[in-house]
Amino acid sequence: VPIRAIGQVFTMNMHQDALGDYRMVNSVTALVPDARIGWAPKMDPTCELAGKLGDMDASGHTFTYDLREVEGGTEVTQTYEWMSVKDEEFLKMFPLVSEEQLAGTLDRIESAVS
């Protein structure tokens, strides 16, 4: 289902070597067609990792992608923000995604749309 509105929810299967496989439920926080998309993930309470985290609130961070047409393509700026994380134990884990992993995400997006 295409993303059409702020507040829309979608799930994403994830994997990190340290955590294994898990699933995130994402709420769209920003949407300007062809210019911006952002979402706030939280752990899917039905996945195995959620049980291992116990009472930890794994939410409060966001990912936002701003797109700008430039000569020869599109410039993408990715913002990874965790200022709204409220759970102190979860906050100690940040950044969850390294600068190299963020760059890898942009590389995979480029490959997918090229």
Side-chain angles (χ1 to χ4, degrees):
V1 176
I3 295 174
R4 300 180 194 267
I6 292 174
Q8 186 173 345
V9 175
F10 64 97
T11 59
M12 192 180 303
N13 293 323
M14 306 288 292
H15 177 86
Q16 285 192 26
D17 290 340
L19 301 174
D21 294 328
Y22 59 99
R23 190 173 38 262
M24 299 301 284
V25 176
N26 304 282
S27 296
V28 177
T29 58
L31 185 62
V32 177
D34 300 323
R36 176 176 253 215
I37 185 165
W39 60 90
K42 65 179 180 179
M43 185 68 57
D44 181 337
T46 66
C47 77
E48 185 177 332
L49 181 58
K52 293 177 183 176
L53 294 177
D55 291 336
M56 183 183 294
D57 178 8
S59 67
H61 53 301
T62 61
F63 294 90
T64 305
Y65 294 81
D66 290 294
L67 299 94
R68 184 172 70 90
E69 293 301 317
V70 296
E71 186 175 323
T74 304
E75 177 183 85
V76 179
T77 302
Q78 180 181 28
T79 304
Y80 172 45
E81 181 273 318
W82 58 89
M83 291 176 52
S84 297
V85 172
K86 293 182 178 36
D87 187 298
E88 290 297 323
E89 290 304 308
F90 188 47
L91 189 58
K92 290 177 186 177
M93 300 171 74
F94 280 85
L96 288 171
V97 181
S98 70
E99 189 172 336
E100 293 79 21
Q101 290 169 317
L102 291 172
T105 297
L106 293 174
D107 291 342
R108 286 189 298 281
I109 291 170
E110 181 180 23
S111 293
V113 298
S114 295

